[in-house]
Amino acid sequence: MSKVIAVFGAGTGLGLSVARRFGREGFRVALVARRKERLDALVAQLTDESVEAAAFPADLSDPAGVPALVDAIRSHFDRIDVVEYGPIGADQAFTPATKLDAATLEGISRVLLLTPVELFRSVLLEMTDRGDGALLMTTGYSAVQGVPHLSGPGPVMAAARNYVYSLNGELAGTGVYAGTLTIAAMITGSEAAEATAKGDIELPDNGVEFPVVHPDELAGYYWDMYTRRDRVEQAHPVELTPQAGFPAFTPQTDATA
Ligand SMILES: NC(=O)c1ccc[n+]([C@@H]2O[C@H](COP(=O)([O-])OP(=O)(O)OC[C@H]3O[C@@H](n4cnc5c(N)ncnc54)[C@H](OP(=O)(O)O)[C@@H]3O)[C@@H](O)[C@H]2O)c1
């Protein structure tokens, strides 16, 4: 039975490219986002390209909805081998840190931290039982580096990124890989790129220039991370990838304290 990738936060940018990249390798594809018509259009596009795909409309701001959503995907496809998590929308817009409040942060945390933790937990047993699987988390560069006027999702994605680093170490030797892709670029074809081009999203004049990247290139990183499993994090542009080689954290025992 062919493998299944579930793309959580599937739109015309990275989501479609990840689906297509893994689909080209024989994966069947589950697509999750809120708007059914847009998902149906992505399914039709993948079907035209001979990739088996199905849509699972759901709102990822509700961590309690994760078990039912995972059950729905499993009852359709029988299995989940890879999860890619990368929803983004107007609800997670950049906010200056001086204007950030708890209510905004709480809303963002539901989508970008609480739900992925529940989701990864709900597929982990299947993956460890099989001795194979991958948990892939997409973030923006503000997860790594706080940038003036670009707060909001950054602090939450920083927590999610931190969690993936822990997962990656804990899963070593189980056959299950956890990794994160950190993007410091505008993704062509995404709604964010289209809204920015139309002037609907105005980026602050803070001296930060975003390069542009095609989502197929980013999806290629994910395929490479999935097949090689040799790094916990990949950044685009590549030179922003944190250097590997941190010494492993070794808790002190009584004997050594
Ligand atoms: N776009 C960029 O330029 C850019 C730059 C840096 C980093 N990134 C990161 O790259 C990843 C992919 O970005 P992308 O713009 O290319 O995304 P995409 O694959 O084009 O689409 C993401 C989809 O997430 C869905 N979504 C948002 N909130 C949701 C919710 N509460 N529940 C379910 N689905 C939800 C949206 O569809 P619905 O509205 O229909 O739910 C949206 O179409 C994200 O992690 C993003 O943070 C993007």
Side-chain angles (χ1 to χ4, degrees), residues 104-164:
T104 306
L105 214 46
E106 189 179 355
I108 297 172
S109 298
R110 295 177 74 79
V111 182
L112 298 184
L113 182 61
L114 305 185
T115 292
V117 167
E118 280 303 289
L119 174 63
F120 285 7
R121 209 165 67 87
S122 72
V123 294
L124 201 49
L125 185 60
E126 175 186 342
M127 292 182 181
T128 49
D129 277 355
R130 191 182 290 130
D132 187 37
L135 305 166
L136 310 174
M137 173 89 77
T138 312
T139 71
Y141 194 62
S142 59
V144 177
Q145 174 67 54
V147 181
H149 305 287
L150 299 183
S151 193
V156 178
M157 287 177 165
R161 171 179 179 264
N162 177 297
Y163 157 74
V164 173

Side-chain angles (χ1 to χ4, degrees), residues 7-17 32-36 38-39 42 56-62 84-92 94 110-112 137-141 153 157 181-194 196 210-211 213 215 218 222:
V7 178
F8 291 83
T12 51
L14 183 61
L16 176 60
S17 287
V32 180
R34 288 164 298 184
R35 287 167 292 173
K36 183 176 181 317
R38 284 174 62 89
L39 281 182
L42 297 181
F56 299 86
D59 186 348
L60 296 169
S61 66
D62 178 19
E84 188 268 329
Y85 197 87
I88 200 75
D91 301 344
Q92 297 92 39
F94 289 126
R110 295 177 74 79
V111 182
L112 298 184
M137 173 89 77
T138 312
T139 71
Y141 194 62
M157 287 177 165
L181 175 62
T182 305
I183 303 164
M186 188 64 81
I187 301 175
T188 54
S190 68
E191 274 184 297
E194 280 166 18
T196 306
F210 284 104
V213 62
L218 300 172
Y222 263 150

Side-chain angles (χ1 to χ4, degrees), residues 74-91:
R74 282 211 187 100
S75 26
H76 184 92
F77 282 122
D78 259 346
R79 56 190 287 158
I80 299 175
D81 298 89
V82 178
V83 166
E84 188 268 329
Y85 197 87
I88 200 75
D91 301 344

